[in-house]
Every structure is written in C-alpha cells, then in structure tokens.
Amino acid sequence: MTHPGGYAGGVRLAEVVRSGFVEGFHHGSVVVLDATGSVSDAAGDVRGPIFPRSSVKPLQSVGMLRAGLPVTDPADLALISASHHGEPFHLDRVAGLLRRAGLTEADLHCPRAMPIGPAAAEAVLRAGGGPTRIQMNCSGKHAGMLLTCRAAGWPVDGYWLPEHPLQRRLRAAIEEFTGERVAATGVDGCGAPVLAVSLTGLATAFHRLVSAAPGTVERAVADAMRAHPELVSGTAAEAEDNRLMRGVPGLLTKVGAEGVLAVALPGTGAVACKIDDGGQRARPPVLVAALRRLGISAPVLDELAESALFGGGDRVGGVRAFW
C-alpha cells in the first residue's frame, strides 16, 4: 500500500529482451530538466517523495562544509561525497581523514561490510580479511561527519541521529537545494538519516550544484567530484559514476541504492530517475535515454545504452530503455 502523500510508483521505462523475445519490464520514474532548470520531460511520479539514498551525498557534503568541515584537498571532498568501492586508495584516504580528527575506525557508526567493488572484495577474501567499517561504501561520508563535528565543537557521540546538530544542518542544506520540505526521515543502509524528497527536487539540487558560481561551497563539491570520479565510485567497469564523469566532460553524477541516480551538466540540464524494483541494470539505459533528450552524446553513453543479458556464457540480449 502506498504511504499517504508518498511515491505513487512509476511507468514502464525499460524492457528485458532475451533472444529477441521481450521477457519482462522495469518500471520507474524519471525527470529531465532543461538548461534553465525547468522540467522539459518526465515519466511516472516525479513529484512524490522518495528516499534518494546515496544520490544525496553531494548535498550532505555542502552542509558539512557550511558547518566547518576542515578539508582543503578536493580529493578528500570527493571521497566524503562518495559511495566508494573499497579499493586500497579509498581506504587509505578514509583512514587519513580519521587520523586528522584524532579518531579511529571504531568511531565510525557505519556497519561492518565488504567492499562493494567485486574485485576489491575478492582481494580482501584472498588476503584472509572480512567485513570492516572502513570498507563500507559510506565510510568517507561518515569520516566527514566526524571531522565536521570536531571542527564545530559538537559531540561525536550520536552524530548519526536526526536530532544531532550536524544532521539538522545537513537537512537544511537538502531542503535549500531541492526547494522542498523533507517529507519523511528514515535510516539509510549506513545508519545515517535518509531524507525523502521528490525526483524533481533531486534533479533541481544537482542543477544548482553545477550552476553555482566558482568559489561557493556547492561548486567546490561539484568540482571535486568531477575532478576525482574514481574516488566517488571506483576504477572497475561497474563503477557508473566514474565511467559517466570521465566519459562526459563536465557531467556531475551520483548513484544511489534502490535504482536512484541524479546527474547534471552545466548549461544543458539535469536528470533524476528511480527504478521501482531497485534493480541497477535498468538504470543506465534509462539515464542514457534521458541524456539523449538533452542532446548529449558520447561513446560512453553508447556503451551504457543496453545492459547485457547472457545465456550459456554468450550475450543473448539486453535491458534497454522503453521510454
């Protein structure tokens, strides 16, 4: 049953084609903003609130900077805005952030986890390792939260609670940039609050990030992520954020769990989408279809326009945009 005032669900956005036969569909919602930030195209429910999950991390980073987050290296800011894949260079940088605040991995509230990057996870297992807090893909964000609390003189204990001064500041930043009041508060996979806004609000926020004037904290976040996309996700083929930002110069992108993704390109527009079943395979083709409506073309978009399906070890079909 749909929560009153909540997300109503989407429409058919992608089809699953195996051996020339359509065997299924993915439903969801997508909104496209033009260069002025106005809605130019949409499908599904783009006004009902959703949990944007990790797609909102750049806005949380803006809130941290405004509260006094003491980072000067754009690479650190990119990692704080990341869903990193747990590669060694990610973990080393998170550990460095914690040391700077006089803290350790034990101070992170995010749960113990394996790296979300398959190759990184396999390397951990080969070395006899297991889940740790620092390997959790949100550990950079949590380290940034801890540094912000230290700089602002706020207690570290309970930094993840919605009523903590830090989280109140981050909520204010999200509401400012989306232009919406938060509709609901939940607990994200990492234990920090996740705040419900609409896909239109999420796309609007990304449009504002890339359109911001140089020297502003919001522009600093956008520039840091675009300069260090490998820190925002990872270096492997499945690292969508890295592939997209490297393949489309100037593009800002951030994926989120449950099939969410937001992107923006200065002077062109912005897109936010959600795949209702939470599956990741339909997200790239839908995004490509949306970006092409904005006139954006690049080889990486051709590569992502169809997610491959295999049978007997051979490619026999794909998931492609229906919208």
Side-chain angles (χ1 to χ4, degrees), residues 89-113:
F89 66 97
H90 295 127
L91 308 186
D92 290 344
R93 191 168 287 274
V94 175
L97 289 171
L98 291 171
R99 284 195 302 271
R100 192 179 310 168
L103 300 168
T104 69
E105 182 177 346
D107 294 295
L108 295 171
H109 180 67
C110 54
R112 293 177 176 83

Side-chain angles (χ1 to χ4, degrees), residues 96-160:
L97 289 171
L98 291 171
R99 284 195 302 271
R100 192 179 310 168
L103 300 168
T104 69
E105 182 177 346
D107 294 295
L108 295 171
H109 180 67
C110 54
R112 293 177 176 83
M114 293 293 289
I116 60 172
E122 183 180 347
V124 170
L125 292 174
R126 283 201 310 268
T132 65
R133 295 186 190 279
I134 205 168
Q135 290 172 168
M136 201 272 168
N137 73 90
C138 299
S139 64
K141 177 182 78 174
H142 279 255
M145 289 178 175
L146 287 167
L147 264 70
T148 304
C149 289
R150 283 284 204 240
W154 295 327
V156 169
D157 292 342
Y159 73 87
W160 60 89

